[in-house]
Amino acid sequence: IFPPNERGMANAVLGIPVMMAPAFGPTIGGYLSTSFSWNAIFLINVPIGIVALILAILILPRQTDAEKQEVVEDKQRFDLPGLALSIIGFTALVYGITEAGSKGWGNSTVLTFVLIGVVVLAAFVVVELRVSDPVIDLRLFANYTFTISNIVLWVVAGMLFGSLFLLPLFFENIQGNSALTTGEFLISQGLAMGVGMALSGTLYNRLGPRVLTVSGLVLLVIGTYSLTRLDVNTTGMSLQIWLILRGLGMGFTMPALQTVGLSAVSNRAMAKASSLVSLTRMVASAIGVAALTTYLTQRGISYGQDIAKSLQAGQATHHFSGVAATCVQAAGPTFNQAALRACVTQHAAVLGLNDTFLVVVICCTALIVLALIMGRDPALQAFKGAKARGEDVVLAREPVLSE
């Protein structure tokens, strides 16, 4: 609907509730589960869904007779094989990665599901490239700008949702905070994300997507680096400045990437392109959560074993002797085994979290290189060029499909 000079702000406005939801979600969910029961976090979706359904019926435009006829003619060509293969492939792959956290990568179940996911998705790619009207148009990735911007978007989304899953583990499972308190700690990141998106929309036409994306990634790296230095006594309040930097970085990055990615697509392909961006972003988010929690579990187990070695006789000079000494003290003079195991588990989990957030830092740092070689917004460049030549440019808001 929006012309090139308004798309940056439009994407930012649309993205603010989408990206702030993960910040308010833990707070609202924490309040509901603390004040009522865990079932309330699901029941709350019922009235929201009813309101959304009513609004969709009242507001969304209806099909014209010509569009209805086109649907009737195209009904036999719907890509059912592609849809089935995508569901099976993505589900198997994500499930396999998730199970690796508790069973290890060498487990037969993990290897089976990962292999099934890879094979089915390979078949899915072949099918989508051969059909005339694919359910997911992979040909869009032939465009350089669309591809690079989406790769960066996938990794950022995976790191964002993975981190949002890991931080509550630290505040609740390790430090014993309530779900509501944890949500309150995380809300600053969401508010900062909203501010970053508003600024990104305002500055998009002036600075362009490349500067905004690189700036956002730098802020994201700085903010996340502090999370690689957690200890069992780190408080939520001490992390606020870093969470705010992470939120601003996400806010700068996400709308700029989505805008430049879709700018390289024609209006005719916009519907499939926008749904493709949304789909792949959500899949990347699921894989990010699964991969990071898997890595965290593996590192936590490894650190637990190392700390246990330090507790053995003759291991006083071991690298983890300080943690071992702390846990011996926590066990008390009676050497309470339950307290000892809890202390070891707690410190091993924190060390695993530090390693996991270091992976996030490395991935986001690598993305800066990709962002620097990302293409420019062709529609915005054409608009600026016309204005520079003194041409009278009048851009109107027009729907992709006129009624």
Side-chain angles (χ1 to χ4, degrees):
I1 294 176
F2 290 87
N5 62 319
E6 294 183 358
R7 287 177 185 170
M9 179 57 78
N11 260 318
V13 171
L14 289 172
I16 286 174
V18 174
M19 298 312 300
M20 289 180 68
F24 285 99
T27 308
I28 298 171
Y31 170 76
L32 292 171
S33 59
T34 303
S35 302
F36 302 97
S37 71
W38 64 268
N39 310 76
I41 66 173
F42 297 101
L43 291 174
I44 192 65
N45 292 307
V46 176
I48 292 174
I50 292 173
V51 171
L53 180 62
I54 293 172
L55 290 176
I57 294 172
L58 296 176
I59 295 174
L60 294 181
R62 301 181 183 278
Q63 287 180 318
T64 63
D65 292 337
E67 290 166 355
K68 288 180 180 179
Q69 183 61 34
E70 185 178 347
V71 169
V72 171
E73 294 174 356
D74 290 348
K75 190 172 292 184
Q76 298 301 320
R77 299 186 321 199
F78 183 75
D79 184 20
L80 282 175
L83 179 63
L85 289 171
S86 66
I87 293 173
I88 296 170
F90 285 125
T91 302
L93 182 63
V94 173
Y95 178 76
I97 295 173
T98 304
E99 288 296 290
S102 57
K103 298 179 179 178
W105 287 102
N107 180 268
S108 59
T109 300
V110 172
L111 292 175
T112 299
F113 275 94
V114 170
L115 181 61
I116 290 173
V118 171
V119 172
V120 173
L121 288 176
F124 164 74
V125 170
V126 173
V127 169
E128 296 305 272
L129 293 177
R130 292 173 64 89
V131 299
S132 59
D133 187 22
V135 68
I136 299 178
D137 193 356
L138 300 179
R139 298 180 185 89
L140 291 168
F141 288 115
N143 183 285
Y144 174 84
T145 300
F146 183 82
T147 301
I148 296 296
S149 61
N150 271 281
I151 291 174
V152 179
L153 186 63
W154 296 337
V155 179
V156 170
M159 298 301 101
L160 166 65
F161 285 94
S163 299
L164 285 173
F165 188 80
L166 296 177
L167 285 170
L169 292 179
F170 173 73
F171 290 128
E172 294 180 40
N173 294 16
I174 295 174
Q175 294 196 327
N177 291 297
S178 68
L180 179 57
T181 301
T182 297
E184 291 171 347
F185 287 149
L186 296 177
I187 201 168
S188 61
Q189 181 174 260
L191 293 173
M193 201 178 301
V195 172
M197 285 190 157
L199 291 173
S200 177
T202 303
L203 297 173
Y204 184 84
N205 289 353
R206 186 178 305 172
L207 300 179
R210 193 178 298 174
V211 173
L212 286 171
T213 302
V214 171
S215 301
L217 289 171
V218 169
L219 290 173
L220 188 56
V221 168
I222 295 172
T224 306
Y225 180 74
S226 65
L227 302 180
T228 66
R229 307 174 69 83
L230 299 172
D231 61 52
V232 293
N233 298 314
T234 302
T235 64
M237 293 306 298
S238 68
L239 294 176
Q240 290 307 298
I241 182 63
W242 309 113
L243 293 176
I244 289 172
L245 288 178
R246 278 171 52 84
L248 287 172
M250 290 288 183
F252 281 157
T253 304
M254 301 293 270
L257 288 170
Q258 184 158 316
T259 303
V260 69
L262 294 178
S263 71
V265 177
S266 66
N267 264 18
R268 187 173 185 83
M270 188 65 69
K272 285 190 175 182
S274 59
S275 61
L276 177 60
V277 171
S278 298
L279 167 69
T280 53
R281 185 183 67 233
M282 295 308 297
V283 170
S285 301
I287 292 177
V289 171
L292 290 179
T293 50
T294 297
Y295 184 74
L296 168 62
T297 303
Q298 295 295 317
R299 295 304 298 157
I301 292 173
S302 177
Y303 279 123
Q305 294 170 346
D306 288 338
I307 296 172
K309 290 179 182 178
S310 294
L311 291 168
Q312 298 174 2
Q315 295 287 332
T317 59
H318 194 276
H319 178 66
F320 295 97
S321 58
V323 175
T326 300
C327 290
V328 169
Q329 185 177 4
T334 61
F335 211 67
N336 185 293
Q337 291 294 316
L340 182 66
R341 285 193 295 270
C343 180
V344 170
T345 302
Q346 185 182 44
H347 281 82
V350 172
L351 292 170
L353 274 172
N354 289 340
D355 284 2
T356 306
F357 281 118
L358 182 59
V359 170
V360 176
V361 170
I362 294 170
C363 290
C364 292
T365 302
L367 289 181
I368 295 175
V369 178
L370 277 181
L372 288 171
I373 62 174
M374 182 173 62
R376 302 180 185 276
D377 186 327
L380 184 60
Q381 291 297 110
F383 171 75
K384 287 183 175 181
K387 295 289 286 186
R389 292 189 298 269
E391 299 176 9
D392 187 17
V393 181
V394 178
L395 297 174
R397 296 180 186 177
E398 296 180 359
V400 176
L401 294 174
S402 58
E403 295 188 28

